[in-house]
Amino acid sequence: MDGVTYRRVTLRVVLPLAGLIVLSSIDRVNVSFAAIHMNADIGLDPKTYGFGVGLFFWTYLLMQLPSAAVLRRIGARAWIAGSVIGWGATAGAMALIQTPGHFYGLRLLLGVFESGFAPGVVWYVSQWLPQAYRARAIGLTLLAIPTSVVIGGPLCGWLLSLDWGAVASWRWMFAVEGIATVIAGIAAYFWFADRPAAAHWLPADTGLAIEAEIAAEQAAAGARIEAPLGAALGDRLLWLSGAVWFVLITGANAIIFWMPIALKSLGQTDPLLIGVLSALPWVAIGAGMFLNARHSDRTGERFAHLGYPMLLAAAALVGAALAIGSGPLALALLMLGGLGLGGAQSVFWTVPTRFFGGRNPSAIAFINLMGNVSSAFSPVVIGWIVASTGSVAVPVYGLAALLLAGALVVPAIKRVAEART
């Protein structure tokens, strides 16, 4: 693949997918903004609200493998459109809820439609771009999450601030954002193609050449194109990859959970200032994604670009915990930790997609499932540790140890991978 084709695929495939991920994230978390008035309107207290929010993750985790099976059966174009339309309609329907039961049901349904989208996007990108360009492309889709943090808060706040007459502003917020997502899903059906050879905007020989190049890379890596998930479950590389992704997701969740509390413990009490400062590690995560992915693609090296950023993140977090009383130094070290986490995340998926890509997305979904188990449990565990010890530094030491352990797994992945090539 030449540079011109890479840029064309980025504009036509990767960036639109990143935009859909932004919508996914906003439609998932806008409930936290609506809750200010919604909870009283439909009879939710903090306990029932937290229970309803958490229901999303149960179906989100349980339905990832079924979603991958649907992707394989109906093709990427219909699957992308169906997923986006489904979660957009569900998010929009939140405008109509009247009881806690309605809230619980729609949170469960939202998890169903969003469940397989992230791993499906990773797999889909791996069908369009060979290894030399893959880290940058996947990094761009991952950048959608910090981008949604920057865009989503002001957008939700603006919609909630408008005077919508007799209808509560939180209902209009859900309706407007949900309708926008449904429109994007309809457009996606006509925008995306199932595979490069089917893309009308690529010359036929170029699409076939992309598929041939990717198939040749997978054959050289020993990947079985049609290997079922059952066969992959006996593969050591699958479990090692899932373990590393679990560590990286835990790190991201810890930053989300710990940053506001940590800043408050540093003496910051202004909610607006805490909100702004809490976004800084996400800026660092985005920078790490971009810089490390770009360098990894240019050099063609993956494993050092995965392991060393994890070590950097571990060291920086230890430093942040030790500097807990120093304010700016602790924040700077947290940003350095975010830089390492983002760098590792952007390169990670280049390894499993090389060996498990093929035409079956189930193995990629399983690795993502292993990582996202952390989303359901790590905030609870971190909260318990903080409550038990009275210190926000203790869980950070634990996270640093986990990142160190994850970095030590990377050489094992490298040995297994090199034995196959």
Side-chain angles (χ1 to χ4, degrees):
M1 175 182 284
D2 58 29
V4 173
T5 304
Y6 164 70
R7 287 188 290 272
R8 184 178 294 180
V9 171
T10 298
L11 290 173
R12 286 286 314 207
V13 176
V14 180
L15 289 180
L17 287 172
L20 294 177
I21 293 175
V22 169
L23 292 177
S24 169
S25 179
I26 292 174
D27 287 337
R28 185 189 311 175
V29 302
N30 57 8
V31 67
S32 63
F33 294 90
I36 298 170
H37 301 292
M38 176 191 72
N39 288 3
D41 289 349
I42 67 170
L44 290 172
D45 59 30
K47 183 183 293 185
T48 54
Y49 167 74
F51 172 74
V53 169
L55 285 176
F56 167 88
F57 290 102
W58 289 102
T59 47
Y60 182 78
L61 293 173
L62 289 172
M63 296 304 294
Q64 287 202 12
L65 292 177
S67 179
V70 173
L71 167 58
R72 187 182 188 191
R73 179 176 294 273
I74 69 175
R77 183 175 68 147
W79 175 84
I80 291 171
S83 297
V84 177
I85 292 170
W87 88 58
T90 303
M94 288 284 290
L96 305 175
I97 61 175
Q98 301 294 331
T99 68
H102 296 160
F103 177 58
Y104 299 156
L106 288 177
R107 288 298 292 180
L108 286 167
L109 190 59
L110 186 65
V112 171
F113 284 115
E114 289 201 20
S115 60
F117 197 72
V121 164
V122 169
W123 175 82
Y124 185 60
V125 168
S126 75
Q127 306 304 295
W128 284 82
L129 291 166
Q131 277 284 325
Y133 300 96
R134 201 167 291 171
R136 278 171 287 179
I138 293 176
L140 280 174
T141 65
L142 293 175
L143 271 172
I145 301 300
T147 300
S148 71
V149 174
V150 175
I151 295 174
L155 175 62
C156 292
W158 176 68
L159 290 172
L160 288 170
S161 70
L162 298 178
D163 183 2
W164 299 95
V167 179
S169 60
W170 63 266
R171 296 187 184 276
W172 277 108
M173 181 196 72
F174 281 129
V176 169
E177 293 177 352
I179 290 170
T181 301
V182 170
I183 292 172
I186 295 171
Y189 183 80
F190 299 98
W191 183 265
F192 292 102
D194 283 332
R195 57 194 186 93
H200 65 83
W201 45 270
L202 278 178
D205 57 342
T206 301
L208 290 171
I210 292 173
E211 292 185 10
E213 183 177 355
I214 292 172
E217 287 183 345
Q218 291 172 343
R224 287 180 287 178
I225 301 301
E226 297 285 356
L229 177 61
L233 288 176
D235 193 324
R236 184 184 176 199
L237 187 60
L238 182 85
W239 295 96
L240 291 173
S241 298
V244 171
W245 190 236
F246 176 89
V247 169
L248 293 175
I249 293 295
T250 302
N253 286 332
I255 285 182
I256 294 171
F257 178 86
W258 187 70
M259 268 301 297
I261 300 173
L263 289 169
K264 189 174 182 180
S265 74
L266 295 176
Q268 301 295 340
T269 57
D270 182 356
L272 177 59
L273 182 59
I274 288 176
V276 172
L277 293 178
S278 295
L280 291 179
W282 288 101
V283 175
I285 286 173
M289 287 178 176
F290 175 78
L291 295 172
N292 197 47
R294 185 178 183 185
H295 191 266
S296 178
D297 274 351
R298 286 186 172 181
T299 61
E301 200 287 324
R302 303 303 189 194
F303 301 102
H305 285 82
L306 173 59
Y308 288 134
M310 294 176 72
L311 291 175
L312 172 64
L317 290 177
V318 169
L322 291 172
I324 190 67
S326 65
L329 177 59
L331 179 59
L333 288 167
L334 279 173
M335 291 183 66
L336 187 61
L339 187 78
L341 275 172
Q345 286 182 339
S346 66
V347 172
F348 168 80
W349 283 111
T350 62
V351 178
T353 56
R354 181 183 180 190
F355 296 95
F356 299 110
R359 299 194 185 101
N360 188 354
S362 296
I364 301 300
F366 185 80
I367 293 171
N368 190 66
L369 173 62
M370 289 180 66
N372 276 282
V373 168
S374 170
S375 299
F377 296 104
S378 61
V380 177
V381 172
I382 293 172
W384 179 82
I385 293 173
V386 171
S388 300
T389 64
S391 170
V392 294
V394 173
V396 180
Y397 288 126
L399 175 60
L402 190 63
L403 283 164
L404 176 60
L408 295 177
V409 173
V410 174
I413 294 177
K414 182 179 180 181
R415 287 193 295 272
V416 174
E418 288 180 344
R420 301 182 183 185
T421 57

